[in-house]
Amino acid sequence: MALSADSAKVDSLRRVVQRRQLPDIARYQALRALSDALFTQASPDARPVGEQAVAVATRRRDWPGASETLYQLLVQCERQSDYVAATAYCQQGLELTKAHALPDQWRFTQCLGVLAVDTKDAAAGLRWLRVAYHQQGRATQVKPKERGGLLLNLATAFSVLQQYDSVLYYAARALPPMQQAGDARGQGSVYQFKGEAYALLQPQTPTRLDSAAANMRRALQLFRRHQFVSPATASALALSRTYRQMGRPVASQQAAELALRLAQQTPMPEYQAEALACLAWAQADQGHAARSFALDNQAQDLRDSLFSHDKAQALAQLQVRYDVKLLTEQKRAAEFEQRSQRAQLHSLWLLLGGLTTTIGVGAWLYWRLRRQKALLAVANQANCRAVAEKEVLLQEIHHRVKNNLQLVSGLLGWQASTLPEPALVAALSASRDRIQNMAMVHEFLYQADNLAEVRMDQYLRKLLDSLKVALDTSEQNIELSMDLAPVIMSPKEASTLGLVVNEIVTNAYKHAFQGLAQGHLHVSFASRPMGFQLVIADDGAGMPAEDAPAKAHSLGMQLVRTLTKQLKAKLSVTRSCPTGTHLEVTRA
């Protein structure tokens, strides 16, 4: 019945639009309504009809009407994930609002920012969103929901860029306008943003994790009360991960089970796979190894079934970024070509009388150049698609390696908790730390835009923060300072150097400060003309002469020496004055 009513409405509006004597204002309104109805039916005629409405409004010099129609067109295209068309309408809307000084220019600027974030260009998206924020501040009659929405979009961009202090700032500012608008989904999104930011903010403390869980629970309650199933499922999954960080496996299991039930209602297979993975971790943390393996296998089977879809989606997203850039370049090229054609036409009129042969040769050369450019463009497009497909496959490989390493780490932790011998527990814990270190490199790679490079300042900072959280005790106050340069290394060398840092820092915490109430550990990493220099210094008890690295036979120091040789570097250890140890790994 609903489909029949929609079809009748579309037919009625088509008959109205086809009237010849219809006034322009009535034709514009009918075209707007017809375009919206066609978008509801996912009809390919929706965009051409909307563009006709823009043309009628432009003819009437109804600039606000033309702007509003362009905005509706880009919103509809964005909902259908047609980012190239949405970007084109954004550019038209910006030119229109700028030329006629319309107050809603900020909406098109905001959409450009959102589209950039959606296509994984968060830095450009943040620049556009900041411009939109200033434009909105100068505009009048902005609705509270629109103000809150822009603030949440800024929080989204900062979240992608991992700047969680800014996420908390903009999410907190978005709450009052969302409450004023009575937007339950917006309020739930605010609490979810705050919860995830507290969970990811470094260093992770019990207070921050408590705040994260409290905000996520509020978000989950709002989403479930108003039957927003998809955000409620995402909130339950985030809550399960947070409970696991807090060392509450039973609560983590309950949240994951809720997420699985919600994901099965719609259904949402991606969320189902994530919920099964969270359940596997919860079972492993409770010592149920067999159940954990079974759940992890279910999650992996579901991910494998979704892999082709995810690969196609990622390739489409990369293609969108390419198409958007191509659209911008085509616009510039068209403007340049118009100027060139005008200059060429002027020259041709001056030389037409005696240069017929020259013009013919020039046209032939021009045709050949255009043909070569077209062939080159086709080849470049094919190369871009091939490279994009390889990037997606490599990202998936790194993601799976990271997941498998983390599962092995969790099982080692469970096995250590069942052993009575302290020496075996210590050995398993050390092996678990090394595995987590290697998993962190793969996590960096599958999240990075460049799969062949690792930013060592970001990687080492995250590694050292993780070690501090794991090794700090309430009886000691060890200050950890860092001076890390943004050196680029290959994934293999980054993993090796990370293991070196893990061994030396762990050794310092366990031995250098043994029996001391406080201390200071400093880590610096700098570039050298042909390599790097890593320095780790502490003010602890110091290394006795008989424990110098040349004579040390501990597994940790043997591993450090072996890894240093793999890096083609040199290891030197000296005692600091008056106390402490100074270790240096240098590749000049």
Side-chain angles (χ1 to χ4, degrees):
M1 292 296 291
L3 289 174
S4 177
D6 290 341
S7 299
K9 180 180 178 181
V10 168
D11 293 339
S12 176
L13 287 169
R14 286 189 188 276
R15 287 193 294 271
V16 172
V17 169
Q18 290 170 359
R19 294 178 187 171
R20 294 185 178 180
Q21 301 302 322
L22 192 67
D24 277 349
I25 184 169
R27 187 179 302 279
Y28 164 75
Q29 293 172 348
L31 286 168
R32 275 286 308 275
L34 178 58
S35 177
D36 292 341
L38 291 171
F39 268 117
T40 303
Q41 296 182 351
S43 171
D45 295 334
R47 282 176 53 193
V49 171
E51 290 169 357
Q52 290 178 37
V54 174
V56 172
T58 303
R59 186 169 65 244
R60 295 182 58 245
R61 296 184 177 276
D62 179 10
W63 310 123
S67 172
E68 180 64 28
T69 307
L70 283 170
Y71 183 72
Q72 293 302 323
L73 280 169
L74 76 89
V75 168
Q76 296 287 2
C77 290
E78 186 181 9
R79 287 174 181 168
Q80 296 177 353
S81 300
D82 190 351
Y83 296 136
V84 177
T87 302
Y89 290 131
C90 271
Q91 292 173 346
Q92 292 181 46
L94 277 176
E95 293 173 0
L96 178 70
T97 52
K98 184 177 180 180
H100 301 284
L102 298 181
D104 59 345
Q105 185 178 356
W106 67 269
R107 295 196 299 178
F108 294 99
T109 309
Q110 175 184 226
C111 287
L112 278 178
V114 171
L115 289 169
V117 173
D118 287 344
T119 53
K120 292 189 176 182
D121 192 357
L126 181 59
R127 289 194 296 270
W128 283 113
L129 289 170
R130 279 175 164 162
V131 173
Y133 179 75
H134 292 298
Q135 291 174 344
Q136 189 189 73
R138 296 191 296 268
T140 58
Q141 298 179 344
V142 178
K143 298 177 181 178
K145 183 176 179 179
E146 293 177 327
R147 292 193 185 278
L150 178 52
L151 291 166
L152 284 179
N153 284 330
L154 280 163
T156 301
F158 279 113
S159 178
V160 175
L161 295 169
Q162 300 181 359
Q163 299 180 25
Y164 301 115
D165 287 328
S166 297
V167 174
L168 289 172
Y169 173 76
Y170 284 103
R173 291 192 60 190
L175 185 57
M178 287 302 184
Q179 290 175 332
Q180 184 181 353
D183 187 340
R185 187 177 190 128
Q187 294 175 54
S189 299
V190 168
Y191 291 124
Q192 187 63 30
F193 269 118
K194 292 176 67 176
E196 292 181 0
Y198 276 123
L200 294 168
L201 204 58
Q202 297 294 333
Q204 291 177 338
T205 63
T207 302
R208 284 177 176 170
L209 291 176
D210 286 340
S211 298
N215 279 283
M216 289 176 184
R217 285 194 296 268
R218 295 188 70 175
L220 181 59
Q221 290 171 359
L222 276 169
F223 290 143
R224 294 191 70 191
R225 185 185 310 153
H226 295 274
Q227 298 182 352
F228 299 129
V229 179
S230 179
T233 309
S235 185
L237 287 170
L239 186 58
S240 175
R241 291 190 291 267
T242 303
Y243 279 141
R244 184 168 186 267
Q245 289 177 286
M246 298 169 69
R248 298 175 57 185
V250 176
S252 176
Q253 177 183 338
Q254 292 171 348
E257 289 172 345
L258 172 61
L260 184 59
R261 290 196 301 271
L262 292 172
Q264 289 171 340
Q265 289 178 12
T266 305
M268 294 175 285
E270 296 89 351
Y271 283 155
Q272 290 181 46
E274 187 66 23
L276 288 168
C278 288
L279 280 172
W281 283 112
Q283 294 292 337
D285 291 339
Q286 296 177 71
H288 305 148
R291 179 62 177 157
S292 175
F293 273 117
L295 287 167
D296 185 67
N297 286 332
Q298 291 181 40
Q300 197 61 51
D301 290 342
L302 191 53
R303 288 195 190 103
D304 289 340
S305 67
L306 293 170
F307 176 63
S308 297
H309 172 72
D310 292 342
K311 174 186 165 186
Q313 192 175 41
L315 284 171
Q317 198 172 59
L318 289 168
Q319 185 62 37
V320 165
R321 292 175 65 184
Y322 170 77
D323 290 340
V324 168
K325 291 180 181 179
L326 185 62
L327 186 65
T328 304
E329 293 300 325
Q330 285 176 344
K331 183 180 177 183
R332 293 176 182 171
E335 292 174 352
F336 177 76
E337 190 170 351
Q338 287 177 358
R339 291 193 297 268
S340 300
Q341 287 176 352
R342 286 195 293 267
Q344 290 173 3
L345 185 61
H346 180 69
S347 300
L348 285 172
W349 278 110
L350 294 176
L351 300 174
L352 187 59
L355 298 177
T356 304
T357 305
T358 304
I359 292 173
V361 173
W364 179 75
L365 291 173
Y366 178 72
W367 175 82
R368 284 204 60 183
L369 179 62
R370 289 291 297 270
R371 178 174 174 79
Q372 289 174 354
K373 287 175 66 177
L375 292 173
L376 181 61
V378 171
N380 286 339
Q381 188 173 7
N383 288 335
C384 287
R385 288 177 177 171
V387 170
E389 184 171 356
K390 290 179 181 178
E391 287 182 353
V392 172
L393 292 173
L394 283 173
Q395 284 178 330
E396 178 64 20
I397 289 170
H398 286 301
H399 193 182
R400 294 191 181 190
V401 171
K402 188 268 296 185
N403 287 341
N404 291 334
L405 288 173
Q406 285 189 337
L407 182 60
V408 172
S409 173
L411 293 174
L412 286 176
W414 165 73
Q415 187 174 13
S417 66
T418 64
L419 295 175
E421 296 85 354
L424 290 177
V425 172
L428 286 176
S429 298
S431 298
R432 184 185 184 189
D433 292 340
R434 293 169 185 134
I435 290 172
Q436 287 177 335
N437 177 288
M438 290 184 283
M440 194 177 296
V441 173
H442 290 283
E443 181 179 10
F444 261 84
L445 288 172
Y446 86 76
Q447 292 176 346
D449 290 332
N450 191 337
L451 302 179
E453 298 178 348
V454 177
R455 271 276 301 267
M456 294 305 296
D457 56 332
Q458 297 175 352
Y459 167 54
L460 290 178
R461 182 171 287 106
K462 185 171 181 180
L463 172 61
L464 291 168
D465 287 340
S466 176
L467 288 173
K468 180 173 175 60
V469 171
L471 298 172
D472 263 347
T473 63
S474 57
E475 293 81 13
Q476 287 183 318
N477 180 24
I478 307 301
E479 180 186 357
L480 176 62
S481 60
M482 294 173 259
D483 182 14
L484 308 174
V487 179
I488 302 297
M489 296 185 73
S490 67
K492 181 179 179 180
E493 289 190 335
S495 177
T496 304
L497 189 68
L499 286 171
V500 171
V501 172
N502 178 80
E503 295 299 327
I504 296 175
V505 171
T506 302
N507 186 70
Y509 267 91
K510 291 182 178 179
H511 302 293
F513 303 112
Q514 188 173 12
L516 300 178
Q518 60 183 6
H520 178 248
L521 180 66
H522 180 73
V523 180
S524 69
F525 186 71
S527 63
R528 288 293 177 264
M530 298 298 292
F532 60 86
Q533 182 183 47
L534 170 69
V535 176
I536 303 178
D538 65 70
D539 60 355
M543 182 180 289
E546 60 271 16
D547 292 334
K551 299 179 181 179
H553 297 289
S554 67
L555 175 62
M557 288 309 300
Q558 290 179 14
L559 184 59
V560 168
R561 290 199 302 273
T562 301
L563 295 173
T564 301
K565 290 180 181 179
Q566 289 181 10
L567 291 169
K568 299 180 180 179
K570 294 182 180 179
L571 171 67
S572 64
V573 182
T574 57
R575 288 178 58 89
S576 302
C577 294
T579 61
T581 305
H582 182 100
L583 293 95
E584 187 174 305
V585 178
T586 305
R587 186 171 73 192

